[in-house]
Amino acid sequence: MSENPATPADPAPTAPEGHAGASAAPQTHPARQTPPAHPAPPRHRGEPMFPHGTGPAADPAGSHHERRIRSFQPRRSRVSPSQADALRRLWPKWGLDIDGLSRIDLNELFDGQDLPVVLEIGFGMGEATAQMAAADPDTGILACDVHTPGQGNLLALAERNGLSNVRVANGDAIILLREMLAPASLAGLRVYFPDPWPKKRHHKRRLIQPEFLSLVTTRLAPGAIVHCATDWEPYAEQMLQVLSAEPTLENLHPESGYAPRPDFRPLTKFEGQGLDKGHVVHDLLFRRRTD
């Protein structure tokens, strides 16, 4: 019951989507009238689903950056007509391809709203992300994933619920962090239910590794919160070990190591099914040191 991204070069299967999130009821927003989905003209074999600029690119970084072992596998699975419609209409406004070619101005990306921005890596179908965005409209969420149906679904949810604080990034989060985000530009990082890569020979594909945290912490502002959650016990232990060893981070729950699930992370149907099966979910909350 875990999710998170990988690479065209990594054909290993990924676990099904399992994004979790918070029990707090989302803030109510006036509903927008969503226009009906407009059927796209039929595509010919080999023709891209979304021509340049009209939707997420299949491989936005292309050959600009080295091909390395990655923690995700692109999942360009079947896109429903409503998801495709949302992508075509909203991607030019709220979408971002991670091409690694330029630095992002986060304030400009969020239309000058001057919001603190949290990066969420892996959001599945986006329901929990939309709930968190609705409950905290004063925080921007830059949601990164490679799952095209989920990207379309999140954009549709953002439009339907009048959420101006969600942006969707398509591609490799490592390239986003390394090439496109400025130092100390993020107010937080959320990684909920990443793929556990349970086989020992695949552990190197896990996202939460020392090298990843060394990069992430350079992009976190002092006081920024790192929040991870997993239902895979061995991965929870690795997360705790790796996060605790990062000198720029401090555990907000040092006594137990793990944190109670915070109210802002919604409990999703998928997570509830796992709990019914006896899965134990671990949350980890760390803060970027200010000294």
Side-chain angles (χ1 to χ4, degrees):
M1 116 175 200
S2 303
E3 60 157 14
N4 249 14
T7 180
D10 294 334
T14 187
E17 179 270 322
H19 188 98
S23 55
Q27 180 175 321
T28 304
H29 292 268
R32 292 183 181 178
Q33 190 70 29
T34 304
H38 301 291
R43 287 189 298 131
H44 301 291
R45 182 181 297 274
E47 184 179 349
M49 182 181 299
F50 302 103
H52 180 69
T54 63
D59 185 13
S63 59
H64 304 307
H65 300 278
E66 77 280 5
R67 312 305 284 178
R68 55 178 175 76
I69 293 173
R70 300 187 190 165
S71 62
F72 65 89
Q73 179 176 345
R75 294 178 295 160
R76 202 167 197 125
S77 50
R78 186 174 181 84
V79 178
S80 72
S82 61
Q83 293 161 357
D85 177 65
L87 285 165
R88 290 188 181 94
R89 291 187 299 102
L90 301 173
W91 190 260
K93 179 181 178 184
W94 289 338
L96 167 72
D97 274 321
I98 301 171
D99 57 17
L101 299 179
S102 60
R103 183 66 60 84
I104 300 170
D105 183 327
L106 289 176
N107 191 43
E108 181 180 334
L109 183 67
F110 284 87
D111 298 329
Q113 298 180 77
D114 197 24
L115 302 175
V117 176
V118 171
L119 174 64
E120 181 178 358
I121 300 178
F123 56 80
M125 294 304 291
E127 291 94 343
T129 304
Q131 289 183 53
M132 289 186 288
D136 185 11
D138 294 327
T139 295
I141 300 179
L142 178 55
C144 176
D145 209 314
V146 293
H147 188 218
T148 313
Q151 293 166 348
N153 199 59
L154 178 54
L155 287 172
L157 288 170
E159 180 182 55
R160 187 179 310 141
N161 293 290
L163 305 176
S164 63
N165 58 330
V166 175
R167 299 293 183 269
V168 178
N170 169 56
D172 189 340
I174 300 295
I175 294 176
L176 175 66
L177 285 160
R178 191 182 62 208
E179 310 291 345
M180 302 181 72
L181 292 176
S185 59
L186 295 173
L189 172 73
R190 296 170 181 167
V191 182
Y192 299 153
F193 302 96
D195 193 320
W197 295 103
K199 295 181 180 179
K200 188 172 182 179
R201 68 177 182 271
H202 291 153
H203 286 184
K204 61 187 177 182
R205 301 179 189 271
R206 288 177 173 174
L207 181 64
I208 306 302
Q209 306 273 5
E211 297 81 5
F212 172 73
L213 280 180
S214 295
L215 171 61
V216 165
T217 53
T218 65
R219 301 309 189 246
L220 296 177
I225 299 298
V226 175
H227 183 196
C228 300
T230 181
D231 64 325
W232 192 260
E233 187 90 23
Y235 198 6
E237 294 170 357
Q238 177 181 324
M239 286 180 174
L240 181 58
Q241 180 181 10
V242 171
L243 287 162
S244 299
E246 171 52 52
T248 64
L249 298 177
E250 57 182 341
N251 194 338
L252 296 183
H253 295 269
E255 305 82 8
S256 60
Y258 301 108
R261 180 177 61 82
D263 288 343
F264 64 80
R265 184 176 72 75
L267 179 66
T268 64
K269 178 182 178 181
F270 188 89
E271 183 182 4
Q273 290 172 346
L275 292 171
D276 290 342
K277 296 175 183 177
H279 295 186
V280 177
V281 175
H282 292 286
D283 283 81
L284 301 96
L285 283 169
F286 282 70
R287 178 168 53 207
R288 178 73 159 86
R289 295 184 186 275
T290 56
D291 49 8

